[in-house]
Amino acid sequence: MNNDVRIAMLGSKFMGRAHSNAWMSVNKFFDLPCGAVMHSVCGRDEMATSAFGERWGWASALTDWERAVADPDVDLVDVCTPNDVHAGPAIAALEAGKHVACEKPLAGTLDDARAMRDAAELAKADGLRTFVWFNYRRCPAIAYAHRLIRGGGLGRIFHVRAQYLQDWGGPETPLVWRFDAGQAGSGAHGDLNAHLIDLTRFLTGEEITQVSGAVEETFVTERKLPGGGTGKSTVDDCVLFLARFAGGAVGSFEATRLATGNKNRNTIEINGERGAIRFDFERMNELLWWDDTLPSAQRGWSRVMCTNAGDHPYVEAYWPPGHGLGYEHGFVSQAADILASVGGAEPVVPIPDFADAWETQRVLAAAIVSAREGRAVPLDEIG
Ligand code: SOE
């Protein structure tokens, strides 16, 4: 590939695996102006990172992220580290002249997110691009809903109803980094409401202007430490909040890691004057669509299988109708859109850059203020 993009990835856990799979697969499934070169992976433990690099096809493995970021043979740094280690490497990479792709949320804190936004703005002058891995935008059903809604398919939007329900956060789950406010910033809120805020802003095209009625709760306050004993969880297990959108719609958001019986149930419903959509990631190839412009006798929820090449975005790169895509394809499709963007082409679906992800981070922060001060918070207050 004449325009190779040499990638240094920081992190080698769950997202490290999802991104490695994406970088090793993307040029097999997509015809792109650029090729992904898996240059180096950086992790905390030398032996484990070396084994990870070997398994997933990274040319080299190291434990010093500053060396990885400064390497003149690296074009793009892919940040898959815990949230408190997003800003440092991302800003250093931009200052070293690299494009940056960063996992969601943009950062664990508003201050870090602001610094990343500002560094990205400065780096634009050098033609550097930033990307945030809000992977669910690239589910074909979501990307198709985006096309329907932004084309006026629902008309005026009245309601946005978003839930992200997981149930892995029970008392048996040990005190990993996601339960430490110093590393994660927040719990289910920054982890899962971040996806919901990004998706609803993306689908409606409307910014959130006010957050109110927020509730933050930590049900499991003590968790087992891997080496024995217990430690205090310093983050939320769930955050719920209400929102107003710039176009007049109202919304409800719920993110939790204790919704027993829900594994990765990321669901969105949007109700408009001409119809409605429902999406449930646990049935990610389907979009439920209500067309209220039909004669009343014919109105009903259509279960659209979003697996038709040409009709539904990204599908043509993968399988025939009805064969279905999975969680991993969202990352492969995002890697394709990143390489397209770096190569000067348009992504199939817009990719949030740091400035876009900053808007999501502001809503996350507004919800915490609303929960802790018991009041409605206009987004103008959060800057
Ligand atoms: C953990 O809750 C997690 O890995 C999220 O961080 C991801 O964004 C989501 O896709 C799956 O669950």
Side-chain angles (χ1 to χ4, degrees):
M1 191 73 65
N2 53 8
N3 295 321
D4 286 348
V5 176
R6 297 159 297 178
I7 297 154
M9 183 175 77
L10 312 182
S12 58
K13 297 291 189 251
F14 175 10
M15 286 298 114
R17 292 170 65 239
H19 291 206
S20 298
N21 176 66
W23 295 123
M24 70 191 290
S25 308
V26 62
N27 293 109
K28 311 286 192 298
F29 285 104
F30 289 85
D31 296 323
L32 295 162
C34 298
V37 173
M38 297 170 74
H39 177 275
S40 48
V41 59
C42 186
R44 288 208 167 105
D45 177 277
E46 188 168 353
M47 289 271 287
T49 307
S50 181
F52 180 95
E54 194 75 31
R55 182 187 190 98
W56 287 95
W58 291 93
S60 65
L62 62 167
T63 56
D64 175 355
W65 69 258
E66 289 171 311
R67 211 179 103 220
V69 160
D71 190 324
D73 292 339
V74 167
D75 304 304
L76 182 146
V77 172
D78 184 9
V79 179
C80 302
T81 48
N83 300 340
D84 62 323
V85 193
H86 284 187
I91 293 169
L94 288 166
E95 289 170 352
K98 322 295 185 181
H99 302 291
V100 179
C102 183
E103 256 302 324
K104 44 55 62 181
L106 184 59
T109 66
L110 197 63
D111 286 345
D112 275 5
R114 188 185 302 107
M116 294 171 77
R117 176 207 61 181
D118 294 347
E121 186 56 31
L122 277 178
K124 267 185 182 170
D126 300 324
L128 296 175
R129 295 171 187 272
T130 56
F131 313 94
V132 181
W133 293 85
F134 280 110
N135 54 300
Y136 293 116
R137 289 189 180 196
R138 267 145 266 278
C139 295
I142 288 284
Y144 178 59
H146 171 257
R147 188 183 295 168
L148 276 180
I149 296 168
R150 301 296 284 277
L154 295 188
R156 178 183 170 203
I157 306 289
F158 301 126
H159 287 280
V160 173
R161 198 164 297 107
Q163 296 178 332
Y164 199 153
L165 311 178
Q166 295 181 339
D167 69 359
W168 60 278
E172 71 290 347
T173 303
L175 195 73
V176 294
W177 71 266
R178 290 183 185 275
F179 298 107
D180 171 16
Q183 295 183 75
S186 62
H189 190 47
D191 192 10
L192 306 180
N193 267 329
H195 278 298
L196 298 181
I197 297 162
D198 174 73
L199 279 179
T200 54
R201 291 178 53 241
F202 168 65
L203 288 169
T204 64
E206 298 181 19
E207 291 302 340
I208 288 172
T209 57
Q210 182 195 73
V211 169
S212 60
V215 172
E216 174 187 19
E217 185 54 68
T218 305
F219 294 107
V220 181
T221 55
E222 290 287 321
R223 291 185 179 273
K224 292 190 292 289
L225 290 168
T230 64
K232 194 164 172 44
S233 169
T234 52
V235 296
D236 61 275
D237 290 323
C238 72
V239 170
L240 296 72
F241 67 91
L242 302 175
R244 287 189 177 282
F245 286 77
V250 295
S252 60
F253 292 76
E254 178 181 1
T256 177
R257 290 168 171 160
L258 283 154
T260 311
N262 296 278
K263 295 306 167 187
N264 196 42
R265 192 150 175 263
N266 177 350
T267 67
I268 307 267
E269 177 167 344
I270 299 179
N271 311 120
E273 65 185 344
R274 295 168 54 86
I277 61 112
R278 278 182 188 156
F279 172 79
D280 176 352
F281 176 75
E282 289 187 357
R283 300 177 70 97
M284 69 161 275
N285 291 286
E286 299 171 7
L287 181 71
L288 294 182
W289 164 248
W290 178 287
D291 181 350
D292 216 47
T293 65
L294 290 172
S296 58
Q298 296 170 26
R299 290 172 202 161
W301 283 102
S302 304
R303 185 170 69 91
V304 180
M305 179 71 80
C306 298
T307 57
N308 299 345
D311 288 338
H312 305 119
Y314 301 106
V315 175
E316 64 277 1
Y318 299 109
W319 317 128
H323 287 64
L325 300 190
Y327 178 69
E328 73 279 15
H329 292 95
F331 292 90
V332 181
S333 298
Q334 176 140 353
D337 282 337
I338 290 172
L339 293 177
S341 295
V342 170
E346 280 304 307
V348 172
V349 153
I351 313 176
D353 60 10
F354 284 10
D356 186 319
W358 158 251
E359 296 306 325
T360 292
Q361 202 82 33
R362 292 177 65 219
V363 179
L364 290 170
I368 295 302
V369 173
S370 172
R372 293 180 184 170
E373 298 183 9
R375 65 180 176 91
V377 179
L379 262 287
D380 294 349
E381 278 187 34
I382 312 288

